[in-house]
């Protein structure tokens, strides 16, 4: 019988660790948190030092019972949840539920899950970190106070069911303010002027206007107007072009540091088009362990929630040896490259890196799914390149004079590719021009150049001479993508590595923000009005500096420099006062709607924005006397344009009440047939689609076939064809493929825009998920509907 018990928070992590420890160790998973604040009430005793009232999470009673049972008679109990605030909370709560025990309960920190790291961590356990737990508890209570106190206020004033969050509301403010900047932006015209020139040596090249009559033209501080551009053309077309100055210098470009959490999320968005939540899910799997054939489950990367680019000495030695062996001595710097952490970094963990350099992406390709391999390759190459020599360029700048105008051409030639042989960091926005990568001919100072036909004739001046004269307009600041918003939050000191992905998911799920066709975030009308109301009522909480300062206070709690209760008391006093004022003074928009300045075409009333189950719409303020409604769109300046509703399609059915044709309509319950004579006749008929066969045997009764059906509200579900004898029902599809972890006879198929299609175990306490197998199989759901068949 095993003498030691190791408790982790996920089955995948438990499976990997179990391989590395001998028979003296039993490894089991808590499957995440076992307790939390209650959902139905505040769960914080404000009058008694903000004492949290933790309750066992529904469904976790069995897990706690199994942990207690497994702990009996053990010499040592090791709590090996993730090495961060969340992990410390999981460990602390489990320790509390174990109560008094004769076993030695210790904390184990796994920064990477490899045989050596696991054995060393278990051999050198530590005590539970109460400061780290207090920091978690302070954040959890703080967010609960804000959310559960402000949300009911928004229900009364705006719309029932919406909510507010402390950090998420600040992120929403940043998005709303960027949108207001865009709407207030007015484009300015400017022109660019390029001379197409040829020297004695090929190739021809392009030089851009740099100054005119000793006045610098950069189209930033000074924007070139069309009249002046044409004046320059008129003067220069009859004047010689002479090379006045040639400057050559060597330029070095240094590699980017290894990944921290925010940079990984940003780069995965740029290069792999992963949303942050998808990036973190894939990274979690790489950290906890992937099946590598005969090697078994193996942790491939270090812990993926970190804000430090620091790397251990062992890892540096390994990567330096790898660089010499794979690329040669010329790619290795004399000393290891050192990267500084940001001002607000906690520096608790290493950078994200591969756990073993010998496991290169090529060798792992047969074992990893597409997403895992793509992200691992990104992490691997970034780490290797971060310890390589800089890339070296010869950059040439040529100043060319023509009359009172000075043109400039720039170009560069790579002398040594350095780190760029392995990896080059992506960019969020395209560069303004490509001058620095142009190829220039060999020239000498004093050499006369010749105007040639335009290199881009479509942009040429209409006279056909050797100039490219092009009109441009300044562009508004771009909307944030999830990746660029994370960068903005990080730069402002808001949030921490473990919170970025959840912040993005939260603001998108609350209907405050929508993503446009380019996956850039645009606030909805609901998001704007909530943001404006909260800024007026709680200016300090929604202030970026205040939120960043609160993050620093939580860091101080973690470091043992600050008491968590005192931190909350400083916050609660002013917050409680503003909450009372807001209940009295915050304007109510739920009933009167949001003014638009538009008039109702039916009775001349004001059209206002209101919010329903299916989103926002325009409605006449004279409701119920006038029931006019319509959908609407906003243009780039925020102006609202009503959208004409399309005529409903006529069906072959006739109304049973009056005999008129029925037309297809939609409600929040789905499609239905309504009488074309409405409102004089209110006849309706529900549409019911015939069940669709799936070819999957019911996993419950093993006799019936799972059929695809529609509920009475129009939602697709899957149920046994032997209903009501067998009442198996599910919102998703079923895959007749056994779960390798818990033994469930089937898996379920989940498809999302962010993560694509995944198979996962229907047992929530198991948590197993995998990429779909090559053979196409059908599927079923995690949570059966309450009553899908009616």
């Amino acid at each position: 019988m095993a003498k030691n018990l190791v408790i982790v928070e996920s089955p995948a992590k438990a499976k990997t660790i179990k391989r590395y420890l001998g028979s003296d160790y039993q490894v089991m998973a808590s499957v995440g948190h076992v307790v939390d604040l209650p959902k139905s009430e505040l769960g914080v005793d404000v009058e008694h030092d903000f004492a949290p009232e933790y309750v066992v999470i529904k469904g976790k009673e069995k897990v706690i019972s199994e942990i207690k049972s497994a702990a009996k008679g053990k010499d040592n109990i090791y709590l090996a949840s993730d090495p961060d605030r969340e992990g410390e909370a999981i460990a602390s709560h489990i320790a509390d539920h174990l109560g008094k025990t004769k076993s030695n309960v210790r904390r184990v920190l796994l920064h990477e899950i490899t045989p050596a790291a696991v054995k060393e961590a278990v051999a050198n356990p530590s005590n539970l970190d109460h400061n780290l737990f207090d920091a978690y508890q302070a954040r959890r209570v703080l967010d609960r106070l804000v959310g559960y106190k402000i949300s009911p206020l928004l229900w009364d004033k705006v719309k029932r069911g919406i909510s507010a969050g402390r950090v998420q509301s600040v992120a929403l403010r940043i998005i709303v303010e960027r949108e207001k900047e865009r709407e207030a932006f007015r484009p300015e015209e400017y022109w660019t002027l390029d001379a197409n020139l040829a020297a004695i040596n090929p190739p021809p090249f392009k030089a851009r206007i740099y100054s005119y009559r000793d006045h610098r033209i950069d189209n930033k501080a000074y924007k070139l107007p069309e009249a002046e551009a044409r004046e320059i053309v008129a003067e220069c077309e009859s004047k010689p072009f002479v090379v006045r100055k040639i400057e050559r210098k060597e330029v070095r470009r240094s590699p980017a540091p290894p990944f921290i959490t925010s940079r990984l999320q940003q780069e995965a968005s740029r290069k792999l088009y992963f949303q942050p939540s998808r990036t973190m899910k894939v990274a979690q799997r790489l950290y906890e362990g992937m099946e590598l054939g005969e090697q078994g489950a193996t942790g491939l990367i270090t812990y993926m929630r970190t804000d430090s680019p620091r790397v251990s000495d062992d890892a540096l030695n390994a990567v330096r040896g790898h660089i010499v062996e794979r690329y040669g001595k010329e790619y290795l710097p004399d000393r290891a490259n050192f990267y500084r952490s940001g001002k607000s970094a906690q520096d608790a963990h290493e950078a994200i890196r591969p756990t073993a350099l010998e496991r290169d992406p090529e060798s792992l390709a047969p074992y990893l799914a597409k997403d895992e391999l793509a992200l691992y390759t990104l992490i691997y190459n970034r780490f290797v390149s971060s310890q390589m020599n800089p890339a070296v360029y010869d950059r040439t700048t040529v100043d060319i004079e023509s009359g009172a105008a000075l043109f400039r051409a720039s170009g560069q030639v790579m002398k040594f590719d350095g780190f760029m042989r392995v990896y080059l960091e992506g960019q969020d926005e395209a560069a303004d021009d490509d001058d620095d990568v142009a190829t220039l001919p060999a020239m000498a100072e004093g050499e006369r150049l010749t105007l040639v036909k335009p290199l881009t004739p479509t942009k040429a001046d209409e006279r056909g001479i050797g100039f490219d004269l092009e009109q441009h307009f300044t562009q508004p600041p771009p909307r944030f993508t999830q990746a660029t918003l994370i960068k903005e939050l990080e730069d402002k000191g808001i949030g921490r590595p473990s919170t970025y992905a959840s912040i993005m998911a939260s603001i998108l799920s609350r209907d405050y923000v929508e993503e446009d066709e380019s996956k850039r975030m645009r606030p909805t009308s609901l998001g704007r009005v909530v943001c404006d109301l909260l800024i007026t009522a709680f200016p300090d909480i929604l202030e970026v500096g205040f939120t960043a300062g609160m993050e620093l206070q939580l860091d101080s709690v973690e470091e043992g420099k600050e008491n968590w209760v005192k931190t909350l008391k400083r916050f609660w006093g002013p917050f409680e006062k503003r909450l009372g004022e807001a209940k009295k003074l915050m304007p109510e928009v739920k009933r009167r709607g949001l003014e638009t300045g538009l008039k109702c075409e039916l009775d001349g009333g004001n059209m206002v924005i209101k919010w329903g189950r299916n989103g926002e719409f325009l409605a006449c303020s004279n409701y119920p006397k006038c029931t006019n409604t319509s959908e609407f769109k906003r243009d780039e300046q925020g102006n609202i344009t009503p959208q004409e509703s399309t005529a409903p399609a006529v069906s072959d059915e006739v109304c049973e009440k009056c005999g008129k044709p029925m037309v297809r309509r939609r409600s929040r319950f789905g499609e239905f047939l309504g009488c074309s004579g409405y409102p004089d006749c209110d006849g309706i008929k529900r549409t019911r689609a015939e069940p669709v066969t799936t070819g999957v045997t019911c996993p419950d009764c093993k006799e019936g076939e799972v059929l695809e059906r529609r509920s009475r509200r129009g939602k697709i579900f899957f149920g046994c064809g032997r209903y009501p004898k067998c009442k198996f029902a599910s919102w998703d599809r079923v895959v007749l493929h056994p779960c390798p972890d818990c033994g469930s006879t089937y898996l379920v198929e989940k498809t999302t825009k962010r993560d694509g299609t995944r198979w996962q175990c229907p047992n929530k306490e198991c948590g197993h998920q995998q990429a779909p197998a090559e053979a196409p199989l059908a599927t079923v759901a995690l949570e059966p509907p309450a009553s899908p068949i009616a």
Side-chain angles (χ1 to χ4, degrees):
M1 180 178 176
K3 298 180 180 179
N4 306 288
L5 175 64
V6 180
I7 303 173
V8 298
E9 74 277 41
S10 78
K13 189 173 179 180
K15 184 177 181 181
T16 307
I17 293 173
K18 190 174 182 180
R19 289 186 57 247
Y20 302 151
L21 299 174
S23 58
D24 283 345
Y25 295 86
Q26 178 184 352
V27 184
M28 64 184 303
S30 68
V31 196
H33 286 276
V34 293
V35 302
D36 196 7
L37 298 176
K39 291 184 177 180
S40 58
E41 56 185 294
L42 180 64
V44 177
D45 190 346
V46 177
E47 301 299 325
H48 295 86
D49 290 339
F50 305 95
E53 301 167 7
Y54 292 114
V55 297
V56 177
I57 297 172
K58 186 177 180 180
K60 293 298 180 72
E61 297 89 348
K62 183 180 178 182
V63 175
I64 294 176
S65 177
E66 290 174 346
I67 289 175
K68 287 182 176 180
S69 178
K72 291 180 180 178
K74 295 296 190 292
D75 294 341
N76 298 289
I77 299 174
Y78 299 105
L79 304 173
S81 47
D82 284 350
D84 58 10
R85 291 176 186 172
E86 290 282 333
E88 198 67 29
I90 292 172
S92 296
H93 289 314
I94 291 175
D96 289 342
H97 277 275
L98 287 174
K100 292 183 179 180
T101 176
K102 295 180 180 179
S103 303
N104 186 24
V105 180
R106 303 297 300 277
R107 182 79 165 101
V108 170
L109 302 178
L110 297 173
H111 300 285
E112 60 181 79
I113 303 179
T114 57
V118 170
K119 292 174 182 177
E120 182 180 354
V122 171
N124 299 280
S126 60
N127 294 321
L128 288 167
D129 189 334
H130 296 293
N131 292 331
L132 195 61
F133 176 72
D134 285 346
Y136 161 83
Q137 194 161 247
R139 177 186 285 277
R140 188 75 184 92
V141 171
L142 187 62
D143 291 343
R144 175 57 66 101
L145 291 173
V146 173
Y148 274 52
K149 290 296 184 180
I150 295 181
S151 295
L153 180 64
L154 295 178
W155 297 356
D156 291 339
K157 304 294 186 178
V158 184
K159 177 189 174 185
R160 186 165 185 81
I162 62 177
S163 59
R166 181 179 61 90
V167 179
Q168 295 87 339
S169 296
V170 178
L172 173 63
R173 177 178 185 171
I174 292 172
I175 294 171
V176 170
E177 289 180 346
R178 173 59 59 90
E179 193 67 21
K180 289 180 178 179
E181 286 181 50
R182 288 174 57 83
E183 292 172 356
F185 177 83
R186 295 297 177 264
E188 294 181 65
E189 180 190 52
Y190 69 95
W191 290 71
T192 56
L193 175 61
D194 295 331
N196 299 294
L197 301 167
I200 297 173
N201 298 304
F205 64 99
K206 184 182 293 187
R208 175 154 295 182
I209 186 68
Y210 181 78
S211 65
Y212 182 60
R213 301 189 190 280
D214 296 324
H215 184 73
R216 176 76 169 93
I217 299 171
D218 60 2
N219 286 323
K220 293 179 181 177
Y222 176 74
K223 295 176 174 60
L224 181 66
E226 181 183 12
E228 187 174 351
R230 295 194 179 279
E231 178 184 332
I232 296 171
V233 169
E235 177 171 338
C236 294
E237 62 184 347
S238 58
K239 298 286 176 67
F241 283 79
V242 181
V243 176
R244 289 303 181 205
K245 181 181 178 183
I246 300 177
E247 183 181 78
R248 297 182 179 90
K249 63 179 180 179
E250 186 178 88
V251 178
R252 293 174 175 265
R253 180 173 179 177
S254 298
F259 282 127
I260 58 175
T261 302
S262 59
R263 297 291 188 267
L264 176 63
Q265 292 171 350
Q266 292 162 37
E267 194 74 339
S269 174
R270 298 181 191 115
K271 292 193 171 184
L272 306 179
Y273 306 102
F274 285 5
Q275 300 289 33
S277 60
R278 182 178 176 185
T279 299
M280 296 311 292
K281 287 177 182 177
V282 176
Q284 184 84 36
R285 295 197 290 271
L286 294 173
Y287 162 71
E288 292 183 342
M290 305 296 297
E291 288 289 341
L292 303 182
E294 295 180 356
Q295 300 178 54
T298 305
L300 298 181
I301 65 170
T302 53
Y303 191 55
M304 64 289 161
R305 294 185 181 93
T306 177
D307 53 14
S308 172
R310 173 175 53 83
V311 175
S312 69
D313 292 339
D314 289 344
L316 284 177
N317 292 333
V319 71
R320 286 173 64 82
H322 172 81
I323 291 169
V324 172
E325 181 181 347
R326 174 78 59 101
Y327 303 105
K329 291 183 178 180
E330 65 272 22
Y331 287 88
L332 184 71
D334 294 336
R335 292 183 296 177
N337 294 330
F338 174 77
Y339 301 95
R340 295 185 180 278
S341 301
K343 291 181 180 179
S344 60
Q346 296 170 280
D347 201 33
H349 312 292
E350 277 191 73
I352 306 169
R353 60 169 176 81
T355 55
L357 270 300
E358 59 268 21
R359 286 193 285 267
D360 57 29
E362 294 78 13
S363 66
L364 297 185
Y367 307 108
L368 301 184
K370 181 180 177 181
D371 284 2
E372 283 90 357
L373 181 60
L375 192 66
Y376 182 76
T377 302
L378 211 63
I379 294 169
Y380 188 97
N381 290 344
R382 173 81 163 228
F383 175 61
V384 173
S385 72
S386 71
Q387 290 300 323
M388 296 177 74
N389 268 322
V392 182
Y393 295 89
D394 272 340
R395 178 172 294 174
T396 303
T397 302
V398 182
D399 287 346
I400 303 160
E401 189 177 69
S402 179
L406 183 68
F407 291 79
R408 174 169 288 183
S410 299
Q412 63 186 26
V413 176
M414 181 182 288
K415 292 174 60 179
F416 176 64
D417 55 1
F419 75 93
M420 295 177 64
R421 180 170 176 181
V422 176
Y423 187 88
L424 184 61
E425 188 174 31
Q427 293 182 326
D428 290 315
E429 307 295 337
D432 292 336
D433 54 65
D434 297 325
D435 286 349
D436 284 341
V437 297
T439 301
L440 298 179
M443 290 177 277
E445 292 184 0
E447 180 179 347
R448 293 186 60 149
L449 307 177
T450 306
L451 276 173
V452 295
K453 290 184 178 180
L455 301 177
T456 53
T458 56
K459 299 179 181 179
D461 179 74
E462 63 270 15
R463 286 172 289 181
I465 55 179
F467 295 95
D468 286 342
L469 185 60
E470 188 176 2
Q471 182 186 38
H472 302 268
F473 292 93
T474 54
Q475 297 298 310
R479 294 189 179 107
F480 291 105
T481 62
Q482 291 191 43
T484 56
L485 180 58
I486 287 173
K487 184 176 186 300
E488 184 79 3
L489 293 174
E490 182 189 34
D491 290 345
K492 294 182 181 300
I494 299 171
R496 288 296 180 261
S498 61
T499 64
Y500 294 133
S502 62
I503 292 172
M504 299 302 106
S506 180
I507 60 176
L508 288 169
S509 65
R510 290 177 176 174
D511 296 327
Y512 293 160
V513 172
E514 58 190 6
E515 290 184 309
D516 61 19
E517 60 279 359
S518 301
K519 293 294 182 181
R520 293 181 178 272
M521 291 186 282
R522 177 178 187 171
T524 62
S525 298
L526 179 62
R528 295 170 71 118
V529 71
V530 166
C531 181
D532 291 344
L533 291 175
L534 291 180
I535 289 174
T536 302
F538 304 96
D540 47 358
I541 294 178
L542 269 291
E543 205 272 315
V544 170
F546 175 86
T547 306
M550 184 58 68
E551 296 286 1
L552 294 177
Q553 291 183 52
L554 293 174
D555 291 345
S556 295
V557 172
E558 180 176 329
E559 295 164 3
K561 300 176 181 178
E562 181 74 54
N563 179 274
W564 75 278
V565 175
K566 290 182 179 179
T567 299
L568 291 179
K569 284 182 177 179
R570 285 197 299 270
F571 166 82
W572 176 251
F575 175 71
E576 187 179 31
K577 179 181 178 181
R578 289 195 179 278
L579 187 66
E581 294 172 349
K583 290 178 179 179
K584 299 176 182 178
L585 303 177
M586 183 180 285
E588 184 178 324
V589 298
K590 181 195 291 186
R591 293 180 177 84
R592 64 179 176 84
L594 188 64
E595 294 290 341
T596 64
L598 300 175
K599 295 293 183 181
C600 176
E601 67 270 20
L602 298 184
D603 69 349
N606 295 323
M607 295 296 284
V608 296
I609 296 174
K610 290 198 171 184
W611 299 277
R613 291 179 180 268
N614 293 323
E616 53 191 21
F617 61 94
L618 289 177
C620 181
S621 59
N622 292 330
Y623 178 86
K625 292 182 179 179
C626 178
T627 60
N628 183 27
T629 63
S630 72
E631 296 181 351
F632 68 91
K633 287 186 177 180
R634 285 184 185 269
D635 62 17
E636 290 299 308
Q637 282 69 48
N639 300 315
I640 293 173
T641 305
Q643 302 295 299
E644 294 183 5
S645 56
T646 57
V650 179
S651 72
D652 296 332
E653 302 277 345
V654 295
C655 179
E656 296 177 355
K657 287 188 175 182
C658 68
K660 290 183 179 180
M662 303 284 279
V663 295
R664 297 187 181 276
R665 301 183 187 274
R666 289 195 65 83
S667 73
R668 60 189 176 95
F669 299 122
E671 188 178 87
F672 68 97
L673 296 178
C675 181
S676 58
Y678 180 83
D680 296 330
C681 176
D682 61 358
I684 63 171
K685 185 177 182 180
R686 299 288 180 191
T687 58
R688 287 190 178 273
E690 292 297 320
V692 178
T693 62
T694 65
V696 177
T697 303
C698 175
D700 275 9
C701 69
K702 307 295 190 297
E703 296 181 22
E705 180 185 359
V706 175
L707 302 177
E708 179 181 319
R709 293 177 169 175
R710 282 188 180 273
S711 70
R712 61 181 176 179
R713 295 191 174 186
K715 187 175 180 180
I716 291 177
F717 72 98
F718 298 86
C720 181
R722 296 180 65 239
Y723 178 85
K725 291 183 179 180
C726 177
K727 295 185 179 181
F728 176 85
S730 163
W731 291 124
D732 302 314
R733 292 183 176 272
V734 165
V735 179
L736 293 184
H737 185 85
C739 175
D741 290 346
C742 72
S744 170
T745 57
Y746 67 95
L747 299 177
V748 298
E749 185 175 274
K750 285 283 191 180
T751 302
T752 64
K753 291 181 178 178
R754 294 176 180 172
D755 296 333
T757 300
R758 303 287 300 175
W759 287 358
Q760 59 190 52
C761 182
N763 180 6
K764 288 185 176 180
E765 296 180 358
C766 174
H768 172 79
Q769 57 177 296
Q770 64 183 65
E774 294 183 1
L777 301 172
T779 30
V780 172
L782 292 175
E783 295 185 10
S787 180
I789 304 174

